[in-house]
């Protein structure tokens, strides 16, 4: 039986096409997926992301525990009100999951993927043993992402809460039983809001009233891909490291004595150089890129880990895992034909504009 | 329920066909098909003067979700293609029976049209297809399955 978020009825009322997704019934789209994409790029859209996994970490050793299980270093969070993105690694340096860690007053909050819940929740529990910490999964909360150039203004109009506008990128605050963070997965400005389940539908209604467009999983996927953001299970998983996944920036090597899970394997790979990289691909002919398509340079070969038609750019884009030496022009096997493309450094789009060279 | 104009005939692969006064058969995809596919972003049409057999692959309609092959509903020669779709593939969604037409065939044998479904039969066909796979695109789609393209979510 698939799970339903507190917003299930609201989705159905808004005309959503509900699809099974990571054990949940989620909205794929409400009408046109492309229109939802543009609404987020040009104005404001909202996503129900209540299916994601939320774990509160408290106790005297909360920071020490997170410094052990997350490859980024929560010690970099100057105080409550800051967040960071990082990877949970296995001993081989493979990416078990990618997470955002929010530092709140007296505790941390970890938001991880829906699809990895059954893997990550026990993973963290098992490693918490030696630490004086308490882990608590927050299934009592709902989560909404409000994204787009108008997101902050409309969120404030809908809720009367002014806190959001005072947050810098990747800042977070608590306002009563709400958590408001200036984070997202679209490459646009906006907030992600965690509220008690019962508050989700009134918030959704108020946001609708303020002109925020409902957006589904389909638009979420094209937005994140344009923004060059990885999707766990496609662009990286436990078989590849952050160094092979365009995530080297999320690994905190200093201080060298911090012994996070996977550090040994990552350091070895760093010394010898990782054979592969994850990079962006732009299709220079008409058509659509899809996950799994073969990519070739004159000397190297790889595969698309994600692919789509970019509504903002009007062309096919994708992410590909290729040998580290791969540069420049590529040929992509598109439905039996060899099409012209090239390697670019992601992201493709930031704040509504093309950003790659 | 999606719209099925009664003056058209339909293939099981969800193309519609209409015999025009000039003797050519105009071809497009049905309202049901465009709805199942979602936003169309790219259309590949057959070359002019190409000979096609009934049920032969003649083009591709790609949506945000998947690629779907288009089959010629009758045997004949391609005498026109809808060039407007190059810049505006979304016409297939907005006007599947009008400006979103795909191509025209000069038929070798008009009577092949009789092998296709009338609107009522096609509407029933779509309904049973929808029941069978709970509204999934299924045989319409030979590209990524939905669950595959969106298997795992992220922050």
């Amino acid at each position: 039986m698939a799970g339903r978020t507190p917003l299930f009825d609201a989705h159905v009322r808004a005309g959503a096409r509900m699809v099974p997704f990571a054990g949940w019934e989620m909205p794929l789209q409400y009408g046109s997926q492309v229109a939802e994409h543009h609404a987020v790029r040009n104005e404001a859209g909202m996503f129900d992301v209540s299916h994601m996994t939320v774990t509160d970490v408290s106790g005297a050793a909360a920071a020490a525990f997170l410094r052990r299980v997350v490859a980024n270093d929560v010690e970099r969070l100057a105080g409550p009100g800051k967040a960071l993105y990082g990877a949970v690694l296995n001993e081989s340096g493979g990416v078990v999951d990618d997470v955002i860690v929010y530092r709140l007053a007296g505790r941390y909050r970890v938001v991880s993927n829906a699809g990895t819940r059954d893997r990550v929740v026990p993973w963290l529990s098992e490693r918490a043993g030696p630490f004086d910490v308490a882990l608590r999964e927050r299934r009592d909360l709902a989560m909404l992402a409000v994204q787009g150039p108008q997101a902050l203004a409309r969120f404030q109009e809908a809720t009367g809460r002014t806190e959001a506008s005072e947050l810098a990128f990747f800042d977070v605050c608590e306002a009563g039983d709400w958590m408001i963070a200036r984070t997202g997965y679209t490459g646009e400005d906006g907030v992600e809001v965690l509220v008690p389940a019962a508050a989700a539908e009134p918030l959704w209604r108020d946001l609708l009233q303020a002109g925020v467009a409902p957006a589904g999983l389909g638009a979420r996927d094209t937005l994140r891909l344009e923004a060059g953001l990885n999707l766990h299970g496609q662009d990286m998983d436990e078989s590849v490291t952050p160094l092979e996944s365009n995530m080297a920036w999320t690994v905190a090597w200093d201080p060298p004595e911090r012994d996070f899970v996977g550090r040994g394997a990552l350091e070895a790979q760093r010394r010898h150089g990782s054979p592969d990289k994850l990079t962006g691909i732009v299709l220079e002919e008409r058509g659509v890129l899809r996950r799994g398509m073969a990519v070739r340079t004159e000397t190297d070969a790889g595969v698309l880990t994600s692919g789509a038609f970019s509504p903002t750019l009007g062309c096919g884009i994708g992410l590909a895992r290729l040998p580290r030496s791969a540069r420049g022009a590529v040929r992509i096997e598109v439905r039996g034909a060899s099409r012209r493309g090239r390697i670019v450094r992601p992201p493709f789009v930031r704040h509504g504009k093309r950003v790659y060279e | 329920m999606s719209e099925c104009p009664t003056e058209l005939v339909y293939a099981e692969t969800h193309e519609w066909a209409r015999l025009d006064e000039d003797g050519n058969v105009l071809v497009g995809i049905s309202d049901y098909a465009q709805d199942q596919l979602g936003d169309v972003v790219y259309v590949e049409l057959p070359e002019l003067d190409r000979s096609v057999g009934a049920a032969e692959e003649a083009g591709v309609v790609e949506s945000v979700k998947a690629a779907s092959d288009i089959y010629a509903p009758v045997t004949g020669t391609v005498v026109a293609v809808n060039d407007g779709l190059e810049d505006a593939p979304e016409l297939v969604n907005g006007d599947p029976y009008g400006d979103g037409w795909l191509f025209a065939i000069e038929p070798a044998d008009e009577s092949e049209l009789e092998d296709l479904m009338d609107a009522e039969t096609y509407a029933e066909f779509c309904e049973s297809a929808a029941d069978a796979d709970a509204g999934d695109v299924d045989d319409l789609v030979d590209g990524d399955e939905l669950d595959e393209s969106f298997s795992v979510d992220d922050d």
Side-chain angles (χ1 to χ4, degrees), chain B residues 8-139:
Chain B
L8 307 178
V9 289
Y10 302 85
E12 287 190 4
T13 44
H14 301 284
E15 295 83 10
W16 57 261
R18 184 181 76 203
L19 183 63
D20 275 341
E21 283 165 11
D22 59 7
N24 294 330
V25 173
L26 205 63
V27 181
I29 66 167
S30 72
D31 188 32
Y32 176 82
Q34 70 78 21
D35 183 57
Q36 290 291 300
L37 276 169
D39 297 78
V40 172
V41 292
Y42 172 64
V43 180
E44 206 172 280
L45 295 170
E47 288 187 15
L48 279 178
D49 299 326
R50 181 181 145 188
S51 297
V52 290
E56 185 183 328
E57 215 177 291
V60 179
V61 172
E62 287 208 47
S63 75
V64 285
K65 281 196 285 202
S68 177
D69 288 324
I70 302 303
Y71 300 92
V74 294
T75 306
T77 307
V78 176
V79 291
V81 296
N82 186 353
D83 292 327
L85 298 179
E86 186 164 335
D87 292 327
E90 65 275 11
L91 288 172
V92 175
N93 295 116
D95 194 7
Y97 300 116
D99 290 343
W101 66 281
L102 300 178
F103 52 89
I105 295 175
E106 184 182 290
D109 176 6
E110 280 176 24
S111 73
E112 280 182 353
L113 288 168
E114 292 163 18
D115 298 337
L116 300 173
M117 287 179 271
D118 64 20
E120 195 182 334
T121 313
Y122 177 67
E124 282 167 18
F125 174 78
C126 292
E127 217 163 302
S128 60
D131 288 346
D133 30 74
D136 250 13
V137 199
D138 215 57
D139 41 317

Side-chain angles (χ1 to χ4, degrees), chain A residues 5 7-8 11 26-27 46-51 143-145 204 215:
Chain A
T5 77
L7 290 168
F8 180 86
H11 298 315
M26 298 301 292
M46 58 179 162
F47 305 85
D48 177 8
V49 284
S50 305
H51 58 315
M143 184 167 174
L144 267 175
W204 176 272

Side-chain angles (χ1 to χ4, degrees), chain A residues 19 28 81 111 158 224 241 263 329 331 355:
Chain A
V19 296
L28 175 66
V111 176
R224 70 92 194 166
T241 71
R263 176 160 197 145
R331 306 294 302 188
V355 286

